[in-house]
Structures are given as C-alpha cells and as structure tokens.
Amino acid sequence: MKTSELRQKFLKFFESKGHTIVRSSSLVPHDDPTLLFTNAGMNQFKDVFLGFDKRPYSRATTAQKCVRAGGKHNDLENVGYTARHHTFFEMMGNFSFGDYFKRDAIHFAWEFLTSPEWLNIPKEKLLATVYAEDDEAYNIWLNEIGMPAERIVRIGDNKGAKYASDNFWQMGDTGPCGPCSEIFYDHGEEIWGGIPGSPEEDGDRWIEIWNCVFMQFNRDEQGNMNPLPKPSVDTGMGLERMAAVMQHVHSNYEIDLFQDLLKAVARETGAPFSMDEPSLKVIADHIRSCSFLIADGVMPSNEGRGYVLRRIIRRAVRHGYKLGQKQAFFYKLVPDLVKAMGDAYPELKEKQTQIMEALRAEESRFGETLEKGMGLFNQVLNGMKFLKLESLLPQDGAGKPLTLKTADGVEFTAASRAAPGKKQIVIRPQVSGSLNEGVYIDLQAALETAHIPDAEKPFAEALNAYLMDNIANSKLVIGGEHIFKLYDTYGFPYDLTADMARELGIDLDEEGFNREMEAQRARARAAQNFKANAQLDYTGADTEFTGYEKRSQDTKIIALYKGSEAVDELQAGEAGVVVLEQTPFYAESGGQVGDVGFIFAGENRFRVEDTQKIKAAVHGQFGAVVSGRLKVGDAVSAEIDNDIRDSIMRNHSVTHLMHKALRDVLGTHVEQKGSLQNAELTRFDISHPQGISAEEIAEVERRVNAAIIANVPVKVETMSIEDAQKSGAMMLFGEKYGDFVRVITMGDYSTELCGGTHVARTGDIGFFKIISEGGIAAGIRRVEAITGLAALAWAQNQESLMKNIIAEVKAQTEKDVLAKIQANAANAKAVEKELAKAKAELAVHVGAKLLDNAKDLGAAKLVAAQIEADAAALREIVTDLTGKSDNAVILLAAVNDGKVSLCAGVSKALTGKVKAGDLVKFAAEQVGGKGGGRPDLAQAGGTDAAKLPEMLGSVEGWVNSKLS
C-alpha cells in the first residue's frame, strides 16, 4: 500500500465515522507565539480543547504536517542514523471535542487497523498499553476488543512523580490532561527489543503506531484531578511508521515515498544508491522539512524559526559535500518532492519556484564558506590526530614498539623518531619471519595517506585505523574556540560541527563554545552606544504613563540624576535625567522613539531630548536644564512636543498598514525583523529572500494609501492574551507578552499587538511614500517610508527636480525628457567610440616607435618601458607588437591614480622559453602586486609606483636567464 493511499484511507475511514476532514494547519502556529513549529496534530485544536474556540463540528480528522527541529522538540541530530527519526513527519489524527470517548476511540483504532476492509493487520502482531490506573481502558481492550491479557501492558508513573508517565498526557502543569492508550506493532523476533515496560523496550522490535489520549481531567494548581464536563479524545498515528508496517519494511526510509527521494538524492549528488549511507537519508529527510517550512512562510535567517531552517539546510548541504557534491544540488530535489507530495499538499506546487529560489540562494551563500570551514575543521582534526598519534608511539630504541598489521596481513612495528625540523615514524615490516630494514615515514604525511608513496600507504592506513580506534575509546575533544570560529567565521551551526565530530567519534567542548558565544555577546553589548540609563540605580516607584490620553501632565519629580549619580537638584546648563510620578512622555519601545518636549516648574525649564525606560515600568526623561533649577519633590508641568509626537504617530500607524500590505503583496513568509519610527520616517526590516520590485513597491503604496483614504477609526483595546489570539491579531514569535495586551485595529486592514502611540483615524496619516528598499543581511530587506508633510516635501522636491531636468536637457514637457536623455546618451556613446578609435590609432603609433627602439638580445627583441595609457590600451599595444614580430618580449607599465598597471606579451615562437605569465609575475612582485595569465599575454597590477624604474631595469637580466 503506497503512502499516499494510506493517507487517504485513514481520512476516508474517519469520515465514514462522522468526522469532518480538516486541512493541515501551517507549520508556523501564528496564533501561538509560544510554539516554535507545529509538532502535533492537536496543535490547531488547542483552543477548542481549552474551550476558547468552538467549531461547527465535534469530530475531526486530519493529516497534519509536523516539524521537530529546534527547541524542546528536536530530533535533528538523530536524523539519518536511526530508522524512524525525522525533522518532518505527518501525523494522522482523529479528534473528539466532547463527543465520543474511550470506547469509541479504541474501537475505531482497532477496526481501522485490523478490519479486512481497511488495513487488515494481523491481530496477533499488535499489543496495547494503558495507564496503570485506567481500568476502563484496560477492560475495553480485554472484554470488548478481545486482546489477550498478556498483550495489554499497564504502564505506571515511570518518570519519577505522580502522573509522570509515558501513558499519561498533560498539556502543562495545570489544565486538561488524562491517560493514554498506545498500540504497538511487532516487527518480528528477528529484530532485537522487548515489549513496553520491559528492560528491552528501547529496541526496535515493538514500535508504537497509535496513541489515544483521553482528556479526562482538569488539573488545578493544588494538583487535584477534577473530571472534565466534556471529556475529549486526541489520537495520533505516524504516517511514515504505519507505511513501513503496510509495506513490510522495518525502516521508514524504506517506504515508497522515501525511496523515490533517496534515488533523487543519489542522482543529484552523484553518490551510489545505498540504504547504508546516512547522508542520503539526511538529505532526503531535510528536503521535506525545508520545502514545507518555506512554503509556510519561513525564510532562512539568523534568528528564531529562520535560523532553525538555516541549520537544516546547511546540514543537508554539508552531507552533500561529504558525498562528493561540491556544486549546488539541494534545490534541485524540490520537483521530486512536489511529485511525491504535491497532490496531498498543493502549497508545494503553488510555491515550488519560491522554494527552489530560497534554497538555491541559501545553498550558494553557505557554499562560499563551506570548503574553507571544512578545511579549518580538518586542520584542527589533523592537529589533534598528530598529537594523539605522537603520544601513542614509543620512542625508537627507548621502549617496546607498537606491533600492527596491514590490511594484507603484513605485520610491522612502529615507533617515533625525531628528525631535524620534523617527526618521523620508523616502520619495520616483518617478512619471512624477521623484521626488515626500517622505512621512515613523516608523521604528518602518515595522517594524509594521499601524499605518501604507494609502497608506504598500507602502513599509514594501518596506523590511521589504530589511531581512530584509540580515539573512539579515549575521546578527543575539539576546543570551544575552534567550534566558535567555525560558527562565527564560516557559518557552521554548533549542531553541524557536532554532526561531523560524532561521525569521527570526537567530542565537542560545548561549555567552551558557550563561553565564546557569551564573550561575543558581551563585546557586542559593550560596542553599543547605551544611554546613561543602563547605569542608573533607581529603586523608587513605577511611573504612571498617561501619554495615551494626554499630551501634558501636572506631576511631581521623584528622582533626579546627573550622569549616573542620584542628586537632589539640577542647575541651569546641567544635563541629567528626570523621573516623574506621572508622565505623558512615551519611552522608546517597540521601534518607536521616545518623546521630546519640556518640563516646567514656574520659570524653571528642563528640555527633554529623549525618553528611555530606566526600569521596566519607569520612564526617564533625558535632557538639560535650560533655565533655573529643578529639585526632587518639585511640582512640575510636563509637556511633549505635539508636532513631533504627531509625526511619530503617523509613521507608527502607517507601519502597521505597510506590514499587512507587504505580507499581502510579497507573501505570508514576510515577518517583521526590526523597526524604527521617528518624526522623519518609518524604517521597517522584513524577511524576504530577494529585492522588492518597482511593481511590488507600487502595489504596496497603492494598498496603504487606499487604507488611509478609507479613513477608518483606529481602535485601541486592552484584552487578555487569549482574546487577542482569538481576534487574529498579528503576534511576533519570540516576543514576550503579558497576560493582558494592547490590540490596535484599523478596520479590516490591520490588527496587531502594539504598545505604541497611534493616530485616531487612518486619514490622519496623510500621503504615504516608500523612499528606499535594500538588503541589510542575508534574507533581510529594509524598507523606509515617509508620511504627511514629509511625504509632501518629498513630492515637491521630485517636482522641482523634474523641472530642472527638463530645463537641462532642453525638453518641452515631461513626456519629452526620456527621449532627450536617450538622444544625449546616444551622442555621448558615438563620441566615446570616436575617442576610442583615436586612442587605438595613437597606441599603434606609440607601439611602432617602441619596437623600433627595442633592445636586441640576440634571440629576442626586448621592450620594457613605462608609457601613458590605461590598462585596456596597454593590452592593445602589447598584442599589436607581439603580432608584428616573431621574437618580441614586451613588458609595458603605466600609472593611473597612483596604481600600477602591467602588461606582458611574448611572440608565440618564444613562449617555449619565455612565458608572459612568468614575466608579469616577476615584475608585479617588485611593485607590490601580483598577477598572471597566458604564456603569450598576461596582465597584473601593483601599488608601489616608485619601484617602477628599478623593476624595468631588472627585466633584461630576467629575460636573458630564460633565453640561455
């Protein structure tokens, strides 16, 4: 039974039992920022089980795509080396939301698995487990299903605490929970392993294929198990595992779906197809997770989900490199995956081009550093092996030598010997019963068997085998500084280096790596220009922020700082920080800059130049006393600059509209990666693999301006995080949200969580214009835009510029400008062509004079001179001269903008003795440069023009040495 057929059978079976077939949710759980990836079938129904959501059905069935890589649920390091670990898998599920419970769930499972109409698995091949205290489930299996008692296993609290059991499911420390009943399949007595709960349970003989979770209780904070009013069921069946059962194979990689992908991997890497090659399996697995993640909007980046994707891609590329494929190949597997799974998951077909482009870009990016990184890894490894082998070999004549055998059975002894400047190994083969005369092998060469004579290779290979056995038993450790360099310089994620080390039986100094990472973070923190608030020692009350409703506030000073020291007063001219009891000044947060303005105490005035948080809920107003003085305890009036606040609000509100428009136009893979909103502009960084086209920018502008013209109210609500999730508000993964959040809604255009200040209606934003777009990092684009009066000023500047251009090119109207510019460009091109022709004629003339004055060396005529010409002209002259003479050796030099250009040429009849590439290299090295080329023509550059006369004078001697 093919995997695709099994998937359909499952869904059809449960549809026949009254279940609604629900499409797989995205791998990116947009409504749950606490979850990295969708990793179980129940994820999309979490709110239904918790009572936050109600669906029009009480029974559901799904084929859910899942990823387990990164975070708590991470199978990455095991993929390729076991029969069943995957980064991507499909979980088939059936769910009851307060409808049926244990009896029906168990009967449904049994019928689907064993009925001749469905899977027809022999009943004697199956075994069930139940929670030790779940007599209800046990009796259903025993009395209704007819499972023999010896094949019903009770599993108790085997994880150290009450209800901590493989057979008791809990969503968290509190909330819905309940016992499980699992079904296991027997792969046969020829495979090692025992039944669940036995000492051999970790073997591969008995494999879990089905899990029924019975949500029966609600656990409160005191640990009490209170029965749920509507018990529910969450069932899972791993599609790949069940396909292996139905196709009578042991490993998931042997099923039809993987066999097709494995063959495609072999085709694209050029590696022979073998089920014993882990690298083929790694790549076949990883193309699934990578493609599905990109289809669901994740793009490679250096944080969050994007970084997990980057790690998986780079792991696959490294395994391709290990198989011998040094060119980009991974993206070429996407069509094979689409063929295998595109019918079940149409998003793969729809986004095939986008997936391939994203993979190709990331693969090319990593390919630039992969070989160098592998070189460093091998260099470190060889250094460790050198020291280890040196320590294993006794000194020749000072101890008993090692006795080893080659692969052909030749016995020999090995000992170390110090030689001038190097270490050697003394090899004494035993032939005809006695040790022969010693063979000396360089110790370093012995580790690199490709660089030693064939006669010595069997001994070096035997030494390497002995060394690797010893390493496996004693464990070498790669230092944290080397792991960090691979990560920081060559883009090797830690787990990729760990993967390579594990293949060789080598450990990693993870603590050392973490120390290096922390040191880098500390350097980054130190390099940042933190404001003085980082050093303020404040222990007072929190600030009451009134700036959402008010632009001014009568309040009281509760603290003053001069530098980092608390003071009682600030005098005129002194800079410092003011902390107020209540404040209308918004503190920089979420990309929005802090407010500016003034604080008044009668005639005393403090200019606020910035507002920052000095504690999580304490605002510090940074600035200077303009007149008078301020004291702690003074009653003051705080007033923000209204014009600047209004501009900031316009730019912040439009950012929400722009975010939504960018996702609509470019795709849902677009995620916010950073932002800044000040009075001048909004700067918005997004995940996107390529430049945004002019047409896409125009469409984003059209959509945003349409929302502005609609002039819808901007609604601000404070609600629980659960209600915010249900409202569909945009939530950013990795952000920490409290129990209550602020939701900003702009009609049907945008709904986001945000703590910033906003306009009352979208029409208040005014005109919107994107002024720049560009890349700032791999897969990250930066968009800058302006609004209101700034956008008007931009438009007026553009109009003025156009008028100046019209006048400059002498056009009649705007419509004529392009034609005029094109005509002027054509004229300029014609002039350049004439100038080039004149230069060429002059070069020929100059060249003829040079050849007339050539130095006669007997076998050759030498021209070595400095002339005035650019690099292109030098080449033309040299080519012309060598074409006119059968025995010319030419070296011409020129200096342009302080840089030396060199060109050498040799008549073809002389290239057997004198080569232009050698000549230009000889010359370039003397003027601080390098270069090379063909035997008859070569070019180079240099930086030291002062050395030209000396260099030109040395050419004759060099040429004579070649001619003799």
Side-chain angles (χ1 to χ4, degrees):
M1 181 183 294
K2 286 186 174 292
T3 306
S4 57
E5 183 183 352
L6 175 60
R7 185 191 296 115
Q8 284 303 111
K9 267 187 176 288
F10 183 95
L11 297 174
K12 289 296 182 184
F13 171 81
F14 281 100
E15 186 179 43
S16 73
K17 302 298 183 182
H19 292 64
T20 297
I21 298 176
V22 180
R23 185 180 177 183
S24 171
S25 64
S26 169
L27 286 170
V28 180
H30 295 289
D31 56 348
D32 188 353
T34 65
L35 194 60
L36 188 65
F37 297 117
T38 299
N39 57 27
M42 62 82 61
N43 289 159
Q44 70 166 308
F45 302 115
K46 180 179 175 182
D47 284 350
V48 182
F49 286 123
L50 290 172
F52 298 144
D53 187 16
K54 186 171 179 61
R55 302 288 177 93
Y57 45 80
S58 60
R59 299 183 178 196
T61 184
T62 64
Q64 175 64 51
K65 51 192 180 185
C66 301
V67 163
R68 286 187 180 170
K72 178 182 175 182
H73 303 286
N74 183 11
D75 288 339
L76 187 59
E77 69 176 21
N78 295 314
V79 172
Y81 298 94
T82 68
R84 277 168 287 280
H85 278 102
H86 302 292
T87 54
F88 175 93
F89 61 96
E90 293 180 78
M91 185 59 72
M92 311 303 296
N94 60 285
F95 306 90
S96 164
F97 310 120
D99 189 328
Y100 61 83
F101 199 43
K102 294 182 185 179
R103 173 170 285 103
D104 284 342
I106 291 173
H107 276 275
F108 287 157
W110 192 250
E111 181 182 351
F112 180 70
L113 292 173
T114 63
S115 167
E117 182 183 353
W118 299 101
L119 299 192
N120 198 27
I121 295 174
K123 296 176 182 179
E124 63 273 13
K125 299 283 282 183
L126 302 176
L127 170 153
T129 65
V130 298
Y131 183 56
E133 299 176 12
D134 190 0
D135 293 334
E136 181 183 1
Y138 181 90
N139 289 327
I140 293 171
W141 281 112
L142 181 69
N143 300 321
E144 298 183 26
I145 299 300
M147 180 82 77
E150 64 270 18
R151 284 198 281 116
I152 309 173
V153 181
R154 291 182 184 263
I155 303 293
D157 299 327
N158 56 1
K159 294 186 176 180
K162 183 65 174 173
Y163 303 117
S165 168
D166 288 329
N167 276 63
F168 198 92
W169 177 87
Q170 302 177 72
M171 186 175 287
D173 294 335
T174 61
C177 57
C180 308
S181 182
E182 298 175 329
I183 303 174
F184 286 74
Y185 176 81
D186 182 7
H187 272 286
E189 59 184 12
E190 68 277 7
I191 296 173
W192 181 83
I195 64 173
S198 71
E200 298 82 22
E201 67 176 354
D202 290 334
D204 278 350
R205 176 176 175 179
W206 292 91
I207 299 300
E208 177 201 339
I209 58 172
W210 200 289
N211 186 15
C212 294
V213 176
F214 306 124
M215 296 188 196
Q216 190 169 354
F217 306 106
N218 185 29
R219 187 175 188 171
D220 61 26
E221 294 179 354
Q222 288 73 42
N224 300 316
M225 294 292 184
N226 304 303
L228 288 169
K230 290 186 176 182
S232 299
V233 172
D234 162 20
T235 287
M237 181 198 87
L239 180 66
E240 293 84 0
R241 289 189 177 200
M242 187 59 76
V245 170
M246 298 308 296
Q247 294 175 25
H248 308 292
V249 294
H250 176 61
S251 166
N252 290 359
Y253 292 98
E254 296 177 84
I255 66 175
D256 62 313
L257 189 154
F258 269 112
Q259 286 291 294
D260 291 341
L261 290 177
L262 287 165
K263 290 171 184 174
V265 175
R267 180 193 71 223
E268 294 301 337
T269 60
F273 178 83
S274 170
M275 288 303 295
D276 295 325
E277 177 50 71
S279 292
L280 292 178
K281 298 174 188 176
V282 168
I283 298 167
D285 170 272
H286 289 7
I287 192 61
R288 299 210 304 165
S289 55
C290 293
S291 297
F292 274 98
L293 284 171
I294 294 169
D296 281 349
V298 181
M299 298 301 290
S301 69
N302 283 330
E303 59 186 15
R305 297 180 177 114
Y307 185 58
V308 175
L309 173 59
R310 171 162 286 168
R311 285 163 54 197
I312 301 173
I313 295 172
R314 294 189 172 189
R315 188 170 188 260
V317 173
R318 203 282 296 186
H319 277 275
Y321 186 93
K322 185 182 174 188
L323 292 172
Q325 178 55 274
K326 306 296 174 65
Q327 303 300 317
F329 75 95
F330 193 47
Y331 76 97
K332 297 178 182 178
L333 300 173
V334 175
D336 297 279
L337 177 65
V338 171
K339 182 179 179 182
M341 302 186 71
D343 290 339
Y345 298 98
E347 62 267 32
L348 286 178
K349 289 182 178 179
E350 295 165 6
K351 298 187 177 180
Q352 178 175 335
T353 301
Q354 179 184 327
I355 295 168
M356 293 181 71
E357 288 177 352
L359 289 178
R360 178 164 49 185
E362 180 66 15
E363 190 173 3
S364 298
R365 190 175 297 117
F366 185 46
E368 295 170 2
T369 61
L370 174 60
E371 190 157 359
K372 292 179 181 177
M374 291 297 296
L376 174 63
F377 180 85
N378 290 328
Q379 180 184 339
V380 172
L381 175 63
N382 284 335
M384 294 167 61
K385 287 166 67 176
F386 182 96
L387 294 174
K388 186 68 176 177
L389 184 56
E390 186 180 26
S391 72
L392 293 172
L393 291 169
Q395 284 288 329
D396 189 33
K400 184 179 179 180
L402 287 177
T403 301
L404 302 172
K405 280 186 178 181
T406 67
D408 294 333
V410 176
E411 190 171 281
F412 66 96
T413 63
S416 66
R417 173 180 179 272
K422 60 182 177 181
K423 294 278 187 176
Q424 289 183 323
I425 305 173
V426 183
I427 302 293
R428 293 187 173 90
Q430 184 174 15
V431 181
S432 302
S434 61
L435 291 173
N436 285 19
E437 185 177 344
V439 175
Y440 297 94
I441 302 177
D442 182 76
L443 194 150
Q444 185 63 52
L447 298 171
E448 303 169 6
T449 55
H451 302 298
I452 63 174
D454 290 343
E456 297 171 5
K457 278 188 179 179
F459 305 114
E461 289 169 352
L463 280 165
N464 270 283
Y466 171 75
L467 174 64
M468 296 312 295
D469 287 344
N470 193 278
I471 287 173
N473 293 327
S474 62
K475 291 293 185 185
L476 291 182
V477 179
I478 297 180
E481 69 278 9
H482 297 306
I483 308 168
F484 177 76
K485 186 172 183 180
L486 283 166
Y487 164 82
D488 191 49
T489 305
Y490 301 109
F492 279 43
Y494 176 86
D495 47 17
L496 192 153
T497 304
D499 205 32
M500 296 190 296
R502 181 177 60 170
E503 292 169 2
L504 299 168
I506 297 173
D507 286 344
L508 298 185
D509 177 13
E510 186 172 3
E511 288 186 10
F513 170 74
N514 290 333
R515 283 195 300 270
E516 294 286 343
M517 286 292 291
E518 183 53 40
Q520 184 196 51
R521 295 187 189 105
R523 289 192 296 270
R525 287 193 295 267
Q528 292 178 7
N529 184 23
F530 283 109
K531 293 185 178 289
N533 60 338
Q535 289 81 41
L536 298 185
D537 182 18
Y538 178 82
T539 57
D542 291 347
T543 303
E544 179 187 348
F545 176 60
T546 60
Y548 289 138
E549 301 85 18
K550 298 180 179 181
R551 301 290 184 97
S552 64
Q553 175 71 53
D554 292 332
T555 182
K556 183 175 73 174
I557 296 175
I558 57 176
L560 291 171
Y561 292 87
K562 182 179 178 181
S564 60
E565 298 295 324
V567 295
D568 292 329
E569 71 174 26
L570 288 173
Q571 298 185 11
E574 291 183 335
V577 183
V578 179
V579 181
L580 302 173
E581 198 170 53
Q582 301 93 20
T583 183
F585 286 89
Y586 180 84
E588 181 174 329
S589 181
Q592 180 177 327
V593 299
D595 278 327
V596 299
F598 287 93
I599 297 173
F600 300 97
E603 297 299 317
N604 306 297
R605 189 165 55 148
F606 181 90
R607 181 177 63 247
V608 178
E609 298 166 352
D610 193 10
T611 307
Q612 297 280 329
K613 291 182 179 180
I614 63 172
K615 297 288 183 184
V618 181
H619 293 208
Q621 282 72 209
F622 290 73
V625 179
V626 177
S627 61
R629 65 181 62 190
L630 294 181
K631 295 181 181 179
V632 174
D634 280 354
V636 297
S637 176
E639 298 181 9
I640 65 175
D641 186 310
N642 282 312
D643 290 340
I644 291 178
R645 165 68 85 84
D646 287 340
S647 294
I648 294 170
M649 285 169 35
R650 284 193 289 268
N651 288 332
H652 197 158
S653 295
V654 86
T655 303
H656 287 219
L657 297 175
M658 181 168 62
H659 190 187
K660 178 64 164 58
L662 285 165
R663 287 173 61 86
D664 288 345
V665 173
L666 303 180
T668 55
H669 64 276
V670 167
E671 290 185 356
Q672 178 181 333
K673 296 299 179 183
S675 69
L676 170 70
Q677 296 84 40
N678 58 27
E680 289 74 40
L681 53 72
T682 175
R683 189 179 73 202
F684 197 58
D685 299 339
I686 61 169
S687 56
H688 190 57
Q690 60 201 32
I692 306 173
S693 69
E695 292 77 14
E696 290 167 333
I697 288 174
E699 179 59 20
V700 170
E701 290 176 336
R702 188 195 67 76
R703 289 171 181 254
V704 172
N705 281 300
I708 292 170
I709 293 169
N711 198 29
V712 297
V714 176
K715 186 168 66 172
V716 180
E717 299 174 282
T718 299
M719 61 182 71
S720 68
I721 187 70
E722 291 83 6
D723 288 340
Q725 289 174 347
K726 286 190 283 186
S727 75
M730 176 75 71
M731 305 175 77
L732 302 179
F733 179 79
E735 289 289 324
K736 293 183 179 179
Y737 299 109
D739 293 336
F740 287 88
V741 292
R742 201 161 170 266
V743 179
I744 310 298
T745 303
M746 302 181 188
D748 295 330
Y749 297 100
S750 170
T751 303
E752 287 193 33
L753 304 193
C754 182
T757 60
H758 290 274
V759 298
R761 306 182 72 90
T762 58
D764 297 340
I765 295 169
F767 176 45
F768 164 80
K769 183 74 179 102
I770 292 174
I771 57 172
S772 72
E773 182 278 335
I776 60 168
I780 306 295
R781 309 298 297 182
R782 172 166 290 173
V783 180
E784 292 185 334
I786 51 179
T787 60
L789 294 176
L792 174 62
W794 178 90
Q796 290 172 335
N797 286 337
Q798 294 295 303
E799 184 180 28
S800 175
L801 178 62
M802 178 57 75
K803 287 179 179 178
N804 289 336
I805 292 172
I806 290 172
E808 186 67 27
V809 301
K810 298 180 173 57
Q812 298 299 315
T813 66
E814 291 181 15
K815 295 178 181 179
D816 301 329
V817 168
L818 183 59
K820 279 285 187 180
I821 291 174
Q822 289 171 337
N824 289 345
N827 290 336
K829 192 172 182 179
V831 170
E832 287 177 2
K833 190 174 181 181
E834 288 297 321
L835 181 59
K837 182 180 177 182
K839 283 184 177 180
E841 291 172 352
L842 179 61
V844 171
H845 177 69
V846 170
K849 293 186 73 174
L850 287 171
L851 200 57
D852 290 341
N853 297 321
K855 180 84 171 181
D856 190 349
L857 302 181
K861 289 183 178 180
L862 172 64
V863 175
Q866 178 180 346
I867 65 173
E868 291 187 9
D870 57 22
L874 284 182
R875 186 184 181 95
E876 286 185 20
I877 296 170
V878 170
T879 303
D880 181 64
L881 293 180
T882 55
K884 289 178 176 178
S885 173
D886 293 334
N887 62 344
V889 176
I890 313 294
L891 178 69
L892 296 184
V895 179
N896 295 288
D897 298 325
K899 295 180 180 179
V900 178
S901 296
L902 301 172
C903 187
V906 178
S907 298
K908 291 190 183 296
L910 282 178
T911 55
K913 292 184 176 182
V914 183
K915 291 181 170 52
D918 294 341
L919 173 56
V920 86
K921 182 180 179 184
F922 166 77
E925 287 173 351
Q926 296 182 63
V927 292
K930 55 185 179 179
R934 305 196 312 259
D936 61 323
L937 184 67
Q939 288 183 276
T943 57
D944 193 349
K947 296 278 184 69
L948 268 179
E950 182 182 349
M951 180 275 289
L952 290 170
S954 69
V955 171
E956 182 178 345
W958 185 88
V959 175
N960 275 324
S961 70
K962 300 296 179 182
L963 293 172
S964 59

